[in-house]
Protein backbone atom coordinates (compact mmCIF):
# COMPACT_ATOMS: atom_id res chain seq x y z
CA UNK A 1 0.00 0.00 0.00
CA UNK A 2 1.44 3.45 -0.88
CA UNK A 3 1.70 5.62 2.27
CA UNK A 4 2.82 9.22 1.74
CA UNK A 5 3.92 11.44 4.57
CA UNK A 6 1.57 13.95 6.14
CA UNK A 7 3.29 17.20 5.23
CA UNK A 8 0.46 19.60 4.37
CA UNK A 9 -2.15 21.53 6.28
CA UNK A 10 -5.81 20.69 5.95
CA UNK A 11 -7.88 22.26 3.17
CA UNK A 12 -10.21 25.02 4.28
CA UNK A 13 -13.92 25.67 3.96
CA UNK A 14 -16.71 23.17 3.37
CA UNK A 15 -14.27 20.55 2.06
CA UNK A 16 -12.56 20.12 5.43
CA UNK A 17 -15.20 17.91 7.10
CA UNK A 18 -15.61 15.33 4.31
CA UNK A 19 -11.84 15.18 3.83
CA UNK A 20 -11.29 14.54 7.53
CA UNK A 21 -13.93 11.80 7.45
CA UNK A 22 -12.32 10.19 4.41
CA UNK A 23 -9.00 10.37 6.24
CA UNK A 24 -10.63 8.52 9.14
CA UNK A 25 -11.86 5.90 6.71
CA UNK A 26 -8.37 5.53 5.28
CA UNK A 27 -6.99 5.20 8.82
CA UNK A 28 -9.49 2.41 9.58
CA UNK A 29 -8.73 0.57 6.34
CA UNK A 30 -4.98 0.88 6.78
CA UNK A 31 -5.20 -0.36 10.35
CA UNK A 32 -7.27 -3.35 9.30
CA UNK A 33 -4.90 -4.25 6.49
CA UNK A 34 -1.81 -4.44 8.71
CA UNK A 35 -2.95 -5.02 12.29
CA UNK A 36 -3.90 -8.63 11.67
CA UNK A 37 -0.22 -9.62 11.83
CA UNK A 38 -0.10 -8.28 15.39
CA UNK A 39 -2.94 -10.52 16.60
CA UNK A 40 -2.21 -13.47 14.33
CA UNK A 41 -0.86 -15.86 17.01
CA UNK A 42 -3.89 -15.26 19.25
CA UNK A 43 -6.27 -15.73 16.33
CA UNK A 44 -4.69 -19.00 15.32
CA UNK A 45 -4.84 -20.34 18.86
CA UNK A 46 -8.45 -19.22 19.36
CA UNK A 47 -9.65 -20.76 16.08
CA UNK A 48 -7.65 -23.95 16.49
CA UNK A 49 -5.44 -23.51 13.42
CA UNK A 50 -1.68 -23.32 13.04
CA UNK A 51 0.12 -19.99 12.71
CA UNK A 52 0.93 -20.85 9.10
CA UNK A 53 -2.76 -21.42 8.34
CA UNK A 54 -3.75 -18.23 10.14
CA UNK A 55 -1.17 -16.40 8.04
CA UNK A 56 -3.20 -17.22 4.94
CA UNK A 57 -5.65 -14.56 6.14
CA UNK A 58 -2.97 -11.99 5.26
CA UNK A 59 -2.17 -13.66 1.95
CA UNK A 60 -5.80 -13.84 0.85
CA UNK A 61 -6.56 -10.23 1.83
CA UNK A 62 -3.60 -8.88 -0.12
CA UNK A 63 -4.18 -11.21 -3.07
CA UNK A 64 -7.86 -10.30 -3.39
CA UNK A 65 -6.98 -6.60 -3.21
CA UNK A 66 -4.29 -6.96 -5.90
CA UNK A 67 -6.49 -8.91 -8.31
CA UNK A 68 -9.80 -7.26 -7.53
CA UNK A 69 -8.83 -3.58 -7.60
CA UNK A 70 -8.53 -3.19 -11.41
CA UNK A 71 -11.78 -5.04 -12.10
CA UNK A 72 -13.68 -3.14 -9.41
CA UNK A 73 -12.35 0.14 -10.78
CA UNK A 74 -13.75 -0.63 -14.22
CA UNK A 75 -17.02 -2.09 -12.89
CA UNK A 76 -17.80 0.99 -10.76
CA UNK A 77 -16.29 3.57 -13.09
CA UNK A 78 -19.67 5.05 -14.07
CA UNK A 79 -20.97 5.43 -10.50
CA UNK A 80 -20.91 8.59 -8.40
CA UNK A 81 -17.79 8.47 -6.21
CA UNK A 82 -19.84 9.20 -3.09
CA UNK A 83 -21.99 6.16 -3.76
CA UNK A 84 -18.89 4.01 -4.22
CA UNK A 85 -17.51 5.29 -0.92
CA UNK A 86 -20.78 4.49 0.87
CA UNK A 87 -20.88 0.97 -0.59
CA UNK A 88 -17.23 0.39 0.28
CA UNK A 89 -17.50 1.57 3.89
CA UNK A 90 -20.75 -0.34 4.45
CA UNK A 91 -19.04 -3.48 3.19
CA UNK A 92 -16.03 -2.77 5.38
CA UNK A 93 -18.14 -2.32 8.51
CA UNK A 94 -19.95 -5.58 7.74
CA UNK A 95 -16.67 -7.38 7.10
CA UNK A 96 -15.16 -6.36 10.44
CA UNK A 97 -18.32 -7.14 12.40
CA UNK A 98 -18.35 -10.56 10.76
CA UNK A 99 -14.67 -11.01 11.64
CA UNK A 100 -15.34 -10.03 15.26
CA UNK A 101 -18.05 -12.68 15.68
CA UNK A 102 -16.58 -15.32 13.35
CA UNK A 103 -17.20 -18.76 14.91
CA UNK A 104 -14.52 -20.46 12.83
CA UNK A 105 -11.66 -19.96 10.42
CA UNK A 106 -13.82 -20.30 7.28
CA UNK A 107 -16.13 -17.45 8.28
CA UNK A 108 -13.16 -15.28 9.21
CA UNK A 109 -11.60 -15.93 5.81
CA UNK A 110 -14.83 -14.85 4.11
CA UNK A 111 -14.77 -11.67 6.20
CA UNK A 112 -11.23 -10.91 5.07
CA UNK A 113 -12.22 -11.34 1.41
CA UNK A 114 -15.08 -8.87 1.86
CA UNK A 115 -12.76 -6.45 3.69
CA UNK A 116 -10.22 -6.60 0.85
CA UNK A 117 -12.83 -5.90 -1.82
CA UNK A 118 -14.22 -3.01 0.22
CA UNK A 119 -10.76 -1.51 0.76
CA UNK A 120 -10.00 -1.79 -2.95
CA UNK A 121 -13.17 0.21 -3.64
CA UNK A 122 -12.73 2.87 -0.97
CA UNK A 123 -9.23 4.27 -1.31
CA UNK A 124 -9.32 5.22 -5.02
CA UNK A 125 -12.83 6.67 -4.70
CA UNK A 126 -11.85 8.65 -1.59
CA UNK A 127 -8.79 10.06 -3.34
CA UNK A 128 -10.90 11.15 -6.32
CA UNK A 129 -13.57 12.66 -4.07
CA UNK A 130 -11.00 14.57 -2.04
CA UNK A 131 -9.60 16.14 -5.20
CA UNK A 132 -13.11 16.94 -6.42
CA UNK A 133 -14.51 18.63 -3.30
CA UNK A 134 -11.43 20.73 -2.58
CA UNK A 135 -10.70 24.04 -4.25
CA UNK A 136 -8.35 23.70 -7.25
CA UNK A 137 -5.45 25.29 -5.37
CA UNK A 138 -5.95 22.89 -2.42
CA UNK A 139 -6.31 19.58 -4.25
CA UNK A 140 -2.78 18.50 -3.47
CA UNK A 141 -3.33 19.09 0.25
CA UNK A 142 -6.65 17.28 0.13
CA UNK A 143 -5.15 14.20 -1.50
CA UNK A 144 -2.15 14.21 0.83
CA UNK A 145 -4.43 14.45 3.86
CA UNK A 146 -6.61 11.49 2.86
CA UNK A 147 -3.67 9.29 1.93
CA UNK A 148 -2.01 10.40 5.15
CA UNK A 149 -4.61 8.32 6.96
CA UNK A 150 -2.69 5.28 5.77
CA UNK A 151 0.52 6.69 7.22
CA UNK A 152 -1.15 7.20 10.59
CA UNK A 153 -2.57 3.69 10.41
CA UNK A 154 0.87 2.17 10.13
CA UNK A 155 2.40 4.44 12.77
CA UNK A 156 -0.44 4.46 15.33
CA UNK A 157 -3.36 2.27 14.22
CA UNK A 158 -1.42 -0.98 14.10
CA UNK A 159 0.26 -0.67 17.53
CA UNK A 160 -3.01 0.51 19.11
CA UNK A 161 -4.97 -2.29 17.48
CA UNK A 162 -2.37 -4.83 18.56
CA UNK A 163 -2.49 -3.52 22.13
CA UNK A 164 -6.31 -3.71 22.16
CA UNK A 165 -6.09 -7.27 20.92
CA UNK A 166 -3.72 -8.16 23.73
CA UNK A 167 -5.57 -6.38 26.55
CA UNK A 168 -9.02 -7.61 25.49
CA UNK A 169 -8.85 -10.19 22.68
CA UNK A 170 -8.29 -10.26 18.96
CA UNK A 171 -12.01 -9.84 18.26
CA UNK A 172 -11.93 -6.44 19.97
CA UNK A 173 -9.43 -5.28 17.36
CA UNK A 174 -11.96 -5.85 14.60
CA UNK A 175 -14.66 -4.14 16.67
CA UNK A 176 -12.42 -1.08 16.94
CA UNK A 177 -11.93 -0.98 13.16
CA UNK A 178 -15.68 -1.47 12.58
CA UNK A 179 -16.54 1.45 14.89
CA UNK A 180 -14.06 3.78 13.17
CA UNK A 181 -15.41 2.77 9.77
CA UNK A 182 -19.01 3.28 10.90
CA UNK A 183 -18.24 6.81 12.11
CA UNK A 184 -16.70 7.61 8.73
CA UNK A 185 -19.68 6.05 6.90
CA UNK A 186 -22.35 7.97 8.82
CA UNK A 187 -20.43 11.22 8.58
CA UNK A 188 -19.74 10.96 4.85
CA UNK A 189 -23.33 10.00 4.09
CA UNK A 190 -24.26 13.46 5.39
CA UNK A 191 -21.24 15.58 4.52
CA UNK A 192 -20.02 14.37 1.13
CA UNK A 193 -21.61 16.19 -1.82
CA UNK A 194 -22.32 14.35 -5.10
CA UNK A 195 -19.08 13.62 -6.92
CA UNK A 196 -19.39 12.74 -10.62
CA UNK A 197 -17.78 9.56 -11.84
CA UNK A 198 -14.21 9.86 -13.03
CA UNK A 199 -13.05 8.68 -16.44
CA UNK A 200 -11.50 5.39 -15.28
CA UNK A 201 -8.89 3.64 -17.40
CA UNK A 202 -10.15 0.42 -18.98
CA UNK A 203 -8.50 -2.96 -18.54
CA UNK A 204 -7.08 -2.54 -22.05
CA UNK A 205 -5.53 0.80 -21.02
CA UNK A 206 -3.91 -0.88 -18.04
CA UNK A 207 -2.60 -3.73 -20.18
CA UNK A 208 -1.04 -1.25 -22.62
CA UNK A 209 0.58 0.66 -19.78
CA UNK A 210 2.00 -2.58 -18.37
CA UNK A 211 3.73 -3.27 -21.69
CA UNK A 212 5.53 0.06 -21.95
CA UNK A 213 9.34 -0.32 -22.08
CA UNK A 214 10.80 -0.52 -18.60
CA UNK A 215 7.47 -0.77 -16.76
CA UNK A 216 7.34 -4.59 -16.25
CA UNK A 217 10.76 -4.66 -14.60
CA UNK A 218 9.92 -1.78 -12.26
CA UNK A 219 6.66 -3.47 -11.25
CA UNK A 220 8.46 -6.78 -10.66
CA UNK A 221 11.02 -5.00 -8.49
CA UNK A 222 8.25 -3.48 -6.38
CA UNK A 223 6.52 -6.83 -6.01
CA UNK A 224 9.71 -8.63 -4.92
CA UNK A 225 10.58 -5.86 -2.44
CA UNK A 226 7.23 -6.29 -0.69
CA UNK A 227 7.57 -10.06 -0.87
CA UNK A 228 10.76 -9.69 1.14
CA UNK A 229 9.30 -7.21 3.63
CA UNK A 230 6.11 -9.13 4.33
CA UNK A 231 7.91 -12.43 4.80
CA UNK A 232 8.95 -10.94 8.15
CA UNK A 233 6.25 -8.31 8.79
CA UNK A 234 3.44 -10.84 8.72
CA UNK A 235 5.07 -12.79 11.56
CA UNK A 236 6.74 -10.09 13.69
CA UNK A 237 5.17 -11.29 17.00
CA UNK A 238 6.37 -14.84 16.38
CA UNK A 239 9.85 -13.63 15.41
CA UNK A 240 10.19 -11.16 18.30
CA UNK A 241 9.22 -13.75 20.89
CA UNK A 242 11.58 -16.43 19.61
CA UNK A 243 14.61 -14.25 19.05
CA UNK A 244 14.39 -11.61 21.80
CA UNK A 245 11.81 -12.91 24.25
CA UNK A 246 9.41 -10.05 23.46
CA UNK A 247 5.92 -11.29 24.26
CA UNK A 248 2.56 -10.24 22.87
CA UNK A 249 2.17 -7.59 25.54
CA UNK A 250 5.25 -5.69 24.34
CA UNK A 251 5.11 -6.34 20.60
CA UNK A 252 3.00 -3.19 20.14
CA UNK A 253 6.16 -1.21 20.81
CA UNK A 254 7.86 -3.01 17.93
CA UNK A 255 5.06 -1.98 15.57
CA UNK A 256 5.07 1.58 16.93
CA UNK A 257 8.82 1.93 16.38
CA UNK A 258 8.59 0.49 12.88
CA UNK A 259 5.67 2.76 11.95
CA UNK A 260 7.22 5.95 13.30
CA UNK A 261 10.51 5.23 11.56
CA UNK A 262 8.55 4.55 8.40
CA UNK A 263 6.86 7.96 8.64
CA UNK A 264 10.23 9.69 8.99
CA UNK A 265 11.61 7.65 6.10
CA UNK A 266 8.64 8.47 3.91
CA UNK A 267 9.09 12.18 4.59
CA UNK A 268 12.75 11.96 3.63
CA UNK A 269 11.98 9.90 0.53
CA UNK A 270 10.24 12.82 -1.15
CA UNK A 271 13.36 14.96 -0.86
CA UNK A 272 15.64 12.13 -1.94
CA UNK A 273 13.77 11.27 -5.14
CA UNK A 274 13.49 14.96 -6.06
CA UNK A 275 17.21 15.53 -5.47
CA UNK A 276 18.74 12.34 -6.88
CA UNK A 277 17.78 10.02 -9.76
CA UNK A 278 15.05 7.71 -8.46
CA UNK A 279 16.75 4.59 -9.80
CA UNK A 280 19.83 5.36 -7.70
CA UNK A 281 17.70 5.90 -4.62
CA UNK A 282 15.87 2.62 -5.26
CA UNK A 283 19.10 0.67 -5.78
CA UNK A 284 20.84 2.09 -2.71
CA UNK A 285 17.82 1.64 -0.44
CA UNK A 286 17.31 -1.91 -1.72
CA UNK A 287 20.95 -2.77 -1.02
CA UNK A 288 20.83 -1.26 2.46
CA UNK A 289 17.64 -3.15 3.23
CA UNK A 290 19.34 -6.40 2.23
CA UNK A 291 22.12 -5.58 4.71
CA UNK A 292 19.62 -4.97 7.52
CA UNK A 293 17.74 -8.16 6.71
CA UNK A 294 21.07 -9.97 6.72
CA UNK A 295 21.79 -8.62 10.20
CA UNK A 296 18.35 -9.80 11.31
CA UNK A 297 19.23 -13.23 9.92
CA UNK A 298 22.42 -13.31 11.99
CA UNK A 299 20.40 -12.13 14.99
CA UNK A 300 18.00 -15.04 14.52
CA UNK A 301 20.87 -17.49 13.95
CA UNK A 302 22.47 -16.48 17.25
CA UNK A 303 19.63 -18.23 19.00
CA UNK A 304 16.72 -17.29 21.27
CA UNK A 305 17.46 -14.89 24.08
CA UNK A 306 15.31 -12.97 26.51
CA UNK A 307 18.00 -10.59 27.76
CA UNK A 308 17.67 -6.82 27.69
CA UNK A 309 20.56 -6.64 25.22
CA UNK A 310 18.82 -8.87 22.68
CA UNK A 311 15.63 -6.83 23.02
CA UNK A 312 17.45 -3.52 22.44
CA UNK A 313 19.30 -4.99 19.47
CA UNK A 314 16.06 -6.14 17.88
CA UNK A 315 14.52 -2.69 18.34
CA UNK A 316 17.57 -1.10 16.68
CA UNK A 317 17.35 -3.46 13.71
CA UNK A 318 13.61 -2.94 13.35
CA UNK A 319 14.15 0.84 13.39
CA UNK A 320 16.75 0.57 10.62
CA UNK A 321 14.41 -1.68 8.65
CA UNK A 322 11.62 0.91 8.88
CA UNK A 323 13.90 3.84 8.02
CA UNK A 324 15.27 2.16 4.91
CA UNK A 325 12.36 0.08 3.67
CA UNK A 326 9.90 2.91 3.23
CA UNK A 327 12.18 4.77 0.82
CA UNK A 328 11.97 2.11 -1.88
CA UNK A 329 8.34 2.37 -2.92
CA UNK A 330 8.32 6.18 -3.44
CA UNK A 331 11.46 5.80 -5.57
CA UNK A 332 9.82 3.06 -7.61
CA UNK A 333 6.72 5.21 -8.04
CA UNK A 334 8.82 8.12 -9.30
CA UNK A 335 10.49 5.77 -11.79
CA UNK A 336 7.08 4.66 -13.03
CA UNK A 337 5.85 8.24 -13.44
CA UNK A 338 8.93 9.27 -15.42
CA UNK A 339 9.12 6.11 -17.49
CA UNK A 340 5.41 5.92 -18.34
CA UNK A 341 5.07 9.60 -19.23
CA UNK A 342 1.40 10.51 -19.84
CA UNK A 343 0.37 7.03 -18.73
CA UNK A 344 1.95 7.59 -15.32
CA UNK A 345 -1.32 7.51 -13.32
CA UNK A 346 -2.27 4.16 -14.87
CA UNK A 347 1.24 2.80 -14.21
CA UNK A 348 0.89 3.85 -10.57
CA UNK A 349 -2.35 1.90 -10.32
CA UNK A 350 -0.47 -1.16 -11.56
CA UNK A 351 2.16 -0.56 -8.89
CA UNK A 352 -0.56 -0.73 -6.23
CA UNK A 353 -1.52 -4.19 -7.44
CA UNK A 354 2.16 -5.21 -7.56
CA UNK A 355 2.65 -4.09 -3.95
CA UNK A 356 -0.33 -6.08 -2.70
CA UNK A 357 0.69 -9.08 -4.78
CA UNK A 358 4.08 -8.89 -3.09
CA UNK A 359 2.42 -8.80 0.32
CA UNK A 360 0.38 -11.87 -0.57
CA UNK A 361 3.35 -13.89 -1.79
CA UNK A 362 5.56 -12.68 1.07
CA UNK A 363 3.03 -13.74 3.68
CA UNK A 364 2.79 -17.14 2.02
CA UNK A 365 6.56 -17.52 1.81
CA UNK A 366 6.95 -16.58 5.46
CA UNK A 367 4.32 -19.09 6.51
CA UNK A 368 6.13 -21.85 4.62
CA UNK A 369 9.43 -20.94 6.33
CA UNK A 370 8.05 -20.85 9.88
CA UNK A 371 8.34 -24.58 10.48
CA UNK A 372 12.10 -24.37 9.83
CA UNK A 373 12.68 -21.64 12.43
CA UNK A 374 13.45 -17.94 12.63
CA UNK A 375 16.73 -18.22 10.73
CA UNK A 376 14.99 -19.78 7.73
CA UNK A 377 12.31 -17.11 7.87
CA UNK A 378 14.92 -14.38 7.59
CA UNK A 379 16.96 -16.29 4.99
CA UNK A 380 13.84 -16.42 2.83
CA UNK A 381 13.36 -12.68 3.25
CA UNK A 382 16.98 -12.00 2.29
CA UNK A 383 16.76 -14.23 -0.78
CA UNK A 384 13.68 -12.39 -2.01
CA UNK A 385 15.36 -9.03 -1.39
CA UNK A 386 18.42 -10.09 -3.37
CA UNK A 387 16.13 -10.96 -6.26
CA UNK A 388 14.53 -7.54 -5.92
CA UNK A 389 17.96 -5.87 -6.04
CA UNK A 390 18.87 -7.79 -9.18
CA UNK A 391 15.66 -6.72 -10.92
CA UNK A 392 15.98 -3.07 -9.82
CA UNK A 393 19.58 -2.87 -10.98
CA UNK A 394 18.94 -4.58 -14.31
CA UNK A 395 15.93 -2.39 -15.02
CA UNK A 396 17.94 0.74 -14.22
CA UNK A 397 20.69 -0.30 -16.62
CA UNK A 398 18.27 -1.30 -19.36
CA UNK A 399 16.45 2.03 -19.38
CA UNK A 400 17.47 5.48 -18.20
CA UNK A 401 14.40 6.44 -16.21
CA UNK A 402 15.44 10.05 -16.01
CA UNK A 403 14.23 10.51 -19.60
CA UNK A 404 10.46 10.58 -20.11
CA UNK A 405 8.92 7.90 -22.26
CA UNK A 406 7.48 8.87 -25.65
CA UNK A 407 4.21 10.71 -25.39
CA UNK A 408 1.10 8.55 -25.26
CA UNK A 409 -2.55 9.50 -25.18
CA UNK A 410 -3.74 10.36 -21.68
CA UNK A 411 -6.25 7.95 -20.23
CA UNK A 412 -8.09 10.43 -18.09
CA UNK A 413 -9.74 13.76 -18.71
CA UNK A 414 -10.96 14.43 -15.19
CA UNK A 415 -8.67 16.32 -12.77
CA UNK A 416 -9.58 13.79 -10.10
CA UNK A 417 -8.89 10.73 -12.17
CA UNK A 418 -5.08 10.72 -11.89
CA UNK A 419 -5.38 10.77 -8.10
CA UNK A 420 -7.83 7.90 -8.23
CA UNK A 421 -5.79 5.80 -10.62
CA UNK A 422 -2.64 6.29 -8.56
CA UNK A 423 -4.17 4.53 -5.57
CA UNK A 424 -5.52 1.46 -7.33
Amino acid sequence: MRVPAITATLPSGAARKPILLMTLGAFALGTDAFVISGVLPAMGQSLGVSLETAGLLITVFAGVYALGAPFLAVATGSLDRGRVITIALAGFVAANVLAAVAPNYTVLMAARVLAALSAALFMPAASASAAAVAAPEERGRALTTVLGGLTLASALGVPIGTLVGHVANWRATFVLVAVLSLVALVGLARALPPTPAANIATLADRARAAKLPGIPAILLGSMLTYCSMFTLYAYIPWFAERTAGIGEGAVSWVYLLYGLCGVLSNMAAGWLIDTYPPQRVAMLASALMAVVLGLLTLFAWAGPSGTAVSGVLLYVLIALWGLIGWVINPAQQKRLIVTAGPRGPVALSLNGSAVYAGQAVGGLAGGMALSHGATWLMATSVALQLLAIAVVCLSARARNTTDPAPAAPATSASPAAPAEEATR
Side-chain angles (χ1 to χ4, degrees):
M1 183 173 294
R2 189 165 62 96
V3 281
I6 303 173
T7 59
T9 58
L10 283 170
S12 59
R16 176 170 294 191
K17 184 176 180 180
I19 287 172
L20 281 175
L21 289 167
M22 285 186 282
T23 302
L24 176 62
F27 177 82
L29 268 67
T31 300
D32 183 71
F34 297 113
V35 76
I36 193 170
S37 66
V39 296
L40 201 62
M43 290 172 59
Q45 185 177 7
S46 173
L47 297 173
V49 299
S50 66
L51 185 60
E52 296 91 328
T53 301
L56 292 176
L57 295 167
I58 297 175
T59 296
V60 169
F61 180 95
V64 169
Y65 192 113
L67 296 175
F71 294 97
L72 289 172
V74 175
T76 62
S78 61
L79 297 179
D80 179 270
R81 297 297 89 187
R83 180 176 297 182
V84 174
I85 288 175
T86 300
I87 294 172
L89 283 175
F92 203 71
V93 171
N96 279 276
V97 170
L98 182 61
V101 300
N104 53 51
Y105 177 80
T106 302
V107 174
L108 183 56
M109 179 64 78
R112 296 307 292 164
V113 170
L114 178 58
L117 293 173
S118 301
L121 271 178
F122 175 82
M123 282 309 306
S127 298
S129 295
V133 300
E137 67 274 12
E138 295 182 332
R139 284 176 178 168
R141 279 184 282 170
L143 181 60
T144 301
T145 300
V146 171
L147 296 180
L150 299 177
T151 306
L152 286 177
S154 180
L156 298 177
V158 173
I160 291 173
T162 301
L163 181 62
V164 168
H166 173 71
V167 173
N169 58 60
W170 62 269
R171 297 180 187 275
T173 300
F174 291 109
V175 172
L176 172 64
V177 174
V179 170
L180 294 174
S181 305
L182 182 60
V183 172
L185 171 60
V186 173
L188 287 170
R190 298 178 178 179
L192 186 63
T195 307
N199 186 12
I200 304 299
T202 65
L203 293 177
D205 291 330
R206 297 166 195 269
R208 284 191 289 270
K211 295 178 183 179
L212 291 174
I215 297 300
I218 297 175
L219 294 175
L220 180 59
S222 293
M223 189 194 76
L224 287 171
T225 295
Y226 274 82
C227 278
S228 172
M229 292 178 67
F230 258 72
T231 297
L232 172 59
Y233 189 90
Y235 300 101
I236 282 181
W238 180 90
F239 182 84
E241 183 178 5
R242 278 158 180 75
T243 59
I246 298 176
E248 292 184 17
V251 77
S252 295
W253 294 104
V254 177
Y255 284 109
L256 179 62
L257 178 63
Y258 176 82
L260 292 177
C261 288
V263 171
L264 294 175
S265 172
N266 198 250
M267 294 171 66
W271 176 82
L272 286 171
I273 61 179
D274 285 340
T275 305
Y276 302 100
Q279 68 268 26
R280 291 186 184 177
V281 176
M283 286 189 292
L284 179 59
S286 296
L288 290 175
M289 193 167 84
V291 172
V292 174
L293 293 174
L295 292 174
L296 281 165
T297 304
L298 292 175
F299 179 75
W301 177 75
S305 173
T307 65
V309 173
S310 64
V312 170
L313 182 56
L314 179 61
Y315 280 119
V316 170
L317 293 174
I318 291 294
L320 291 174
W321 183 39
L323 288 171
I324 295 168
W326 282 41
V327 173
I328 300 174
N329 195 40
Q332 291 287 84
Q333 290 172 340
K334 180 69 175 288
R335 295 180 68 198
L336 284 170
I337 291 172
V338 176
T339 302
R343 294 189 183 274
V346 182
L348 285 179
S349 74
L350 298 174
N351 187 67
S353 289
V355 165
Y356 274 95
Q359 293 177 11
V361 176
L364 183 62
M368 295 173 64
L370 285 182
S371 60
H372 300 288
T375 305
W376 272 96
L377 178 72
M378 289 311 311
T380 302
S381 179
V382 171
L384 289 168
Q385 183 58 29
L386 291 176
L387 285 176
I389 292 172
V391 171
V392 170
C393 291
L394 289 175
S395 65
R397 290 181 181 179
R399 180 176 181 84
N400 183 0
T401 57
T402 60
D403 295 328
T411 58
S412 175
S414 168
E420 181 163 10
E421 288 299 334
T423 58
R424 290 202 186 277

